[in-house]
Every structure is written in C-alpha cells, then in structure tokens.
DNA sequence: TCCATTATTTGACATATGTCAAAGAGCGAA
DNA sequence: TTCGCTCTTTGACATATGTCAAATAATGGA
C-alpha cells in the first residue's frame, strides 16, 4: 500500500512505524517530524497528541492572542510568519518573530495563567496547529515522553532566549544587526524594517542609518 | 521517635511521608521543601534524588564553573550568593545572581553540552547541593515526576528571563534600577555595586549617577 | 497607468550613556 | 590607629542612539 500524497509505502507490522501513523495523521507530518528531532515520542503519544490538535489556516493580519487575556493555546507554526508585540506609549514594540517549525504562544500568560500585555499577529498567511492548555496538561500527565518533550523544548527555548538576551544586553546596535544578517537573514526578507528595528531594540531611523553606512 | 534537630515526630507506616524521609535526608530538607512548591514529587523519586545529591560547602571567591569547559553540574543553592559573569574586552560582565533556593548552572553549556564563555563565582560562602548531568538524565528517564519538575522549573526560569529581557530591552537605566530596588532590594545589599551595574546593563559610573540623583 | 497608502531614508538636534581619569569612602589587617 | 586595598563617586568630554519632521521610495488597488 502506498500513500501517494506522502510517497510513503506502507507495510503492516505489529508495531506501526511513525511513517504508518502519518497515514492517519498525514497532514500532521511536519509537526511530528519536527518533534522527533528533539526527543523520541512514542506512536501512542503521537496518537493522543493528534487527537487534540486542531488545524488553523488564518490570513495575514489576524491575531492569535491579544493583550489582557489569558492565553489558552499553544501553536505549532507549519507555514507562514508572525510576530509578538506589545503597546508602549502608543507604539507597537515587536520583540519576537516566529517562522516555520516554531512553537508559538504568549509564553508568560500561557505558563502563569495570568493576562499579559502581549499581542500575537500574523505577518503572513499561516498554517497552524493549536492545542489547548488543558489538553496539553493532560498529555503531560498521561505520557512521560510528552512531558520529556515539553522539558526539552523549554530548555531549547530558554537557551535561545538567553543568547538573545546577551546579544541585546552587551552588544552595540550595529553588531546586533550584523549578527542578525548572518544568523537569520530570512527575517529581513519577510518582515518590515520597522518590526526588525524594535526586535533589535533600536528605532527604525537608527536601523536605517546602520544599513546605509554598512 | 522524634528527631530533635528537625522537631519531627516519626510514626512508622507502610508509605513513609515526606517528613519521615527527611529523617534519612534531613539536611536536604530545604531543597525538598522548595521542590514541593512547584510540583508534587513522590517519596521514591526524592529518595533517588537524595542518593545522587552531593553537599558542597565552598568559600567566597570559589568558582563553580569556568569558561571554556562543558558544565556537568546543576546546583541547588541552599545558602549564600553567587554570580554568573563573562569576560568582555578584559572586563568582567556580571549578568545574573543567585540567592537562597535558586537552581544554578551554566545553563547554555549544561543543556547544549558545549563549552561556553560563562564563569560562576561565589560572592559569599555557600552551601550547595550538586547533581551531575548524567545523574539528572537518569532521574528524568526513571521518574515521570522528576521530568515534570524539570519541565516546570524550565518554564519558571524562562518566564523570569523573559521579564528581565523585556525590562532591559525596553526600559531606561533609571527605571530598571528603580524596578530592582522594589522587586529585589536584597541584591543591592549583598553584592558590590559594580556587579549590579553590569547586571542592569550599564556602567558603574552611570549607576552611581542614577543613585545620587535619586 | 495613476493614485493613495505605507515603508524607508535623511537631516537637525537632544539626550542618555560610555570612557577615562582622579578623588573620596569604606574596611580589614597588622 | 594607620596602611593599603577595594569600592564608590565625581568631573570632563565623546559618542551612540533617540526624537521629531520632512523627503523619498516602494507597494497595491482602482
């Protein structure tokens, strides 16, 4: 048996492989594949996960979360691009972006179960997979390997945030921009310069001047 | 039976309580008590944890970790105070402190298993509990509730880092200092001002001027 | 195509913070 | 106490970055 859409040939065995499971959850393949890079997750856990995932296709400009609310969803971003920002003195301050294969939520609010100041808005049309806070807690409780995945993803995201913290804290604007150019040039091609400026912690005018004197 | 040191009265039952376990691991009580605030951990897990914990009492000035090495330990700081710093252009840049009841490690190195640029140095005499990376992984693998504890602690520390990131990124030096004064005044009483300045991302001179114009 | 809107650049100037040097304060050891 | 060290403050000046305003460039819809 072959699944044309995926180009996967299926052979029935007692313990179904990850490839076989994607027959049932074929559209979740990008997510499942991504997960398995970090931690081995059993088929039964993937099955439970697949049962509570909800696919969402939203247009550019839509909001995943707005300030003042408790965030009850975490998302896997399969396709597209979005930003987290908050309002400061009437200005929108963008402080992170997410692209393909990123997990996305208003982290503070999702973890602490309190309302925050963050907004999450799509900067491109997106394909997302959502899971509720409650469903995630249930998966954590039922499946040790899901808990492990959560632990490992939290570690990864912590390390990334720490690197960014150090960069912003102790390097000059020009250096931060040049680091971004080499480490994540795709950001500059996909989002307006004004967003990138506040991501780098500087004004749009300063970023413009840095670019012109490059 | 009563343990005078702890003031705990013991009654033998089939399933020993946390109070009974502290008879065997009495000196680990601060750590166990702290842990239970975040997540319920079974006695059998605490027992496994206690079996691999090692108590360390080190003097002010000692190093827990130095740059260029892979960090293989995570510590629970029961008493004392220490700092994380790295060398930048011949200057020491302190970027975090830890006090009583904090978990401490060179996070980047501990997680990624790569050498980093971080140094960890005691700024007071300290009482610590150490556990190796390998022992921790084993505990994670054997005990779902230990994995859960790891997942939850990672979440907490992520949220704290995010708050600090936002504060440093988008607020002025004076405001950051004033926030520190209200949220963590103990820092200023326990570490030299020069350390606090680099923690706030400013020079010692600037911090001194902020204080004089308060 | 042209227009309206948004995104980006440029200019003039203000200000926060850094740098370097030196003076003053605090504090422990002999 | 006095000495020698470290910690903290102060001064003079340099520089990075912000602010506000305006000009220019890019973009998408009618």
């Amino acid at each position: 048996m072959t699944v044309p859409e995926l180009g996967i040939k299926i052979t029935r065995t007692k313990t179904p492989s990850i490839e076989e499971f994607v027959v049932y959850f074929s559209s979740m393949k990008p997510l499942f594949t991504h997960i398995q890079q970090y931690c081995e997750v059993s088929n039964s856990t993937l099955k439970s996960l697949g049962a509570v995932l909800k696919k969402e296709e939203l247009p550019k400009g839509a909001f995943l979360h707005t300030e003042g609310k408790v965030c009850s969803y975490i998302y896997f971003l399969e396709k597209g691009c979005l930003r987290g920002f908050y309002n400061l003195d009437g200005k929108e301050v963008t402080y992170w972006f997410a692209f393909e294969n990123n997990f996305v939520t208003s982290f503070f609010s999702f973890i602490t179960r309190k309302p925050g100041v963050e907004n999450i808005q799509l900067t491109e049309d997106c394909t997302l997979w959502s899971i509720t806070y409650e469903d995630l807690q249930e998966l954590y409780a039922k499946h040790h390997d899901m808990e492990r995945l959560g632990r490992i993803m939290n570690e990864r995201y912590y390390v990334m945030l720490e690197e960014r913290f150090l960069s912003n804290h102790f390097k000059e604007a020009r250096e931060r921009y040049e680091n971004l150019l080499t480490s994540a040039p795709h950001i500059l091609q996909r989002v307006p310069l004004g967003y990138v400026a506040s991501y780098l912690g500087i004004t749009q005018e300063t970023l413009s001047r840095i670019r012109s004197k490059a």
Side-chain angles (χ1 to χ4, degrees), chain A residues 153-169:
Chain A
M153 294 312 299
N154 285 337
E155 285 171 356
R156 300 269 158 187
Y157 277 73
Y158 185 97
V159 168
M160 287 190 289
L161 181 60
E162 189 181 69
E163 282 182 342
R164 206 175 145 215
F165 174 78
L166 290 176
S167 166
N168 279 23
H169 206 41

Side-chain angles (χ1 to χ4, degrees), chain A residues 9-108:
Chain A
K9 198 174 170 184
I10 304 297
T11 313
R12 273 269 155 264
T13 60
K14 267 189 182 169
T15 57
S17 67
I18 169 70
E19 282 76 15
E20 288 174 313
F21 258 98
V22 299
V23 175
Y24 307 110
F25 299 108
S26 63
S27 60
M28 296 173 195
K29 198 188 180 189
L31 170 53
F32 288 173
T33 303
H34 181 75
I35 282 175
Q36 300 280 2
Q37 287 181 350
Y38 294 98
C39 158
E40 206 178 304
V41 178
S42 73
N43 285 338
S44 90
T45 300
L46 289 182
K47 202 173 168 183
S48 300
L49 173 59
V52 294
L53 282 174
K54 195 178 142 199
K55 188 174 189 173
E56 308 204 22
E57 307 207 76
L58 296 168
K60 174 177 176 171
F63 283 82
L64 283 190
H65 180 71
T66 51
E67 60 192 278
K69 295 182 187 167
V70 174
C71 182
S72 290
Y73 297 92
I74 190 164
Y75 301 87
F76 176 77
L77 177 51
E78 182 182 306
K79 189 175 177 313
C81 168
L82 45 80
R83 68 178 181 129
F85 73 92
Y86 69 93
N87 291 294
L88 182 69
D89 309 328
K91 283 180 199 164
E92 294 184 350
V93 180
T94 298
Y95 66 107
W96 56 263
F97 300 106
F99 298 91
E100 280 77 13
N101 291 324
N102 282 169
F103 287 100
V104 175
T105 187
S106 184
F107 205 88
F108 168 82

